[in-house]
Amino acid sequence: AVGTPNENLEDDAVNLNVDFINKSFARGILPSNMRRSDFQGGVDIPVSRAVDRALRPLFPKGGGNHHLFDCQVLATVLSDNIITKSSSSSSSSMMSLAHMAAINGCSAALHISGIPWDGPIAAVRVVDRDGELVVNPTTPPPPLNNDDKGQYMWEWEGVDENGINLMYAGTKDKAVMIEMCGVRVPENRIKEAIEIAQNHVNEGVKCIQQFGLKVEEKRRIANRGGSSSSSSS
């Protein structure tokens, strides 16, 4: 995550650019003339948008004497061993299931960057599988048709047809993004899923905060070392 102050005081919203990039080598594919869409599965854009929706609400508003930051956040998949074969094409269609990791990783990057932001946040997925609410399931989704690439976030194998499929992001105090798919789900079941998600989000936020403290300690040590070197010379 990088940012630079925006000197235009008339801007009242942060200029945030989020890019989720699924590298071909993350799937073990050597460089070739293969088109990016043949292995990437059309998920870069929807995952980038999901990360944006989770991060954007916590940036301060502009106006007055308050300067905003132009901010760019990159989430690059370096290794991902989940491969699915497209049912409508002879080529392999690679789909990344790293959107939860992308939100959490971008949150950690912003937290240690020094960019004005009211985070950190954490994100989890809660699904209803065989009547049990499961957090961050690892079972990959079924193959998708080319026309259904945008639906990959909800089509998870083993999830009850009328159950909950919840993507939740929040701070330790509140939710900042909730996306859910379900059919006639009782209100108390939704409430239970959200409470479970918030409990796990609290643990994720705590881990990011501890990570930030370690980074800040390293910075202080590095700064002290630079100061002593300068004084001795």
Side-chain angles (χ1 to χ4, degrees):
V2 295
T4 183
N6 183 348
E7 301 298 335
N8 187 357
L9 295 178
E10 295 181 359
D11 290 345
D12 60 355
V14 65
N15 183 13
L16 174 63
N17 180 33
V18 177
D19 284 317
F20 175 90
I21 304 172
N22 190 3
K23 294 290 189 179
S24 59
F25 61 73
R27 302 285 188 171
I29 298 177
L30 297 178
S32 67
N33 60 353
M34 178 184 290
R35 294 177 303 173
R36 184 166 177 77
S37 60
D38 289 338
F39 68 86
Q40 177 257 347
V43 302
D44 280 16
I45 292 177
V47 173
S48 296
R49 290 175 177 171
V51 176
D52 185 292
R53 289 194 296 272
L55 301 179
R56 188 176 292 273
L58 297 179
F59 282 94
K61 295 185 180 296
N65 295 323
H66 185 79
H67 290 279
L68 293 172
F69 271 65
D70 293 332
C71 182
Q72 182 181 36
V73 182
L74 301 179
T76 303
V77 180
L78 300 180
S79 179
D80 190 347
N81 64 353
I82 300 177
I83 301 176
T84 61
K85 190 172 182 61
S86 172
S87 59
S88 60
S89 173
S90 59
S91 63
S92 293
S93 174
M94 310 300 186
M95 298 188 307
S96 176
L97 304 180
H99 37 283
M100 294 295 100
I103 295 175
N104 292 322
C106 290
S107 170
L110 279 172
H111 182 58
I112 66 174
S113 68
I115 297 172
W117 184 62
D118 294 332
I121 64 170
V124 297
R125 179 185 299 283
V126 179
V127 304
D128 194 340
R129 178 171 292 167
D130 298 328
E132 180 182 357
L133 293 176
V134 180
V135 178
N136 290 335
T138 56
T139 304
L144 300 179
N145 295 322
N146 287 337
D147 296 335
D148 298 331
K149 290 176 181 177
Q151 300 299 320
Y152 80 100
M153 301 183 79
W154 308 124
E155 298 181 0
W156 282 69
E157 183 180 356
V159 177
D160 294 347
E161 182 178 355
N162 295 331
I164 292 175
N165 196 333
L166 171 71
M167 185 167 70
Y168 183 98
T171 66
K172 62 182 179 63
D173 300 316
K174 61 183 180 181
V176 295
M177 181 186 70
I178 298 177
E179 296 187 8
M180 193 191 79
C181 179
V183 180
R184 294 188 294 274
V185 180
E187 182 178 345
N188 60 343
R189 189 64 164 170
I190 297 175
K191 181 179 179 181
E192 181 184 2
I194 291 177
E195 289 177 349
I196 291 175
Q198 182 62 53
N199 289 336
H200 283 80
V201 160
N202 291 343
E203 293 297 321
V205 168
K206 183 178 179 181
C207 289
I208 294 175
Q209 289 174 332
Q210 291 174 346
F211 171 65
L213 292 176
K214 291 181 179 179
V215 171
E216 186 60 31
E217 182 181 357
K218 295 290 185 180
R219 284 176 177 166
R220 288 197 298 267
I221 294 174
N223 290 336
R224 286 200 302 268
S227 300
S228 60
S229 298
S230 300
S231 61
S232 62
S233 60

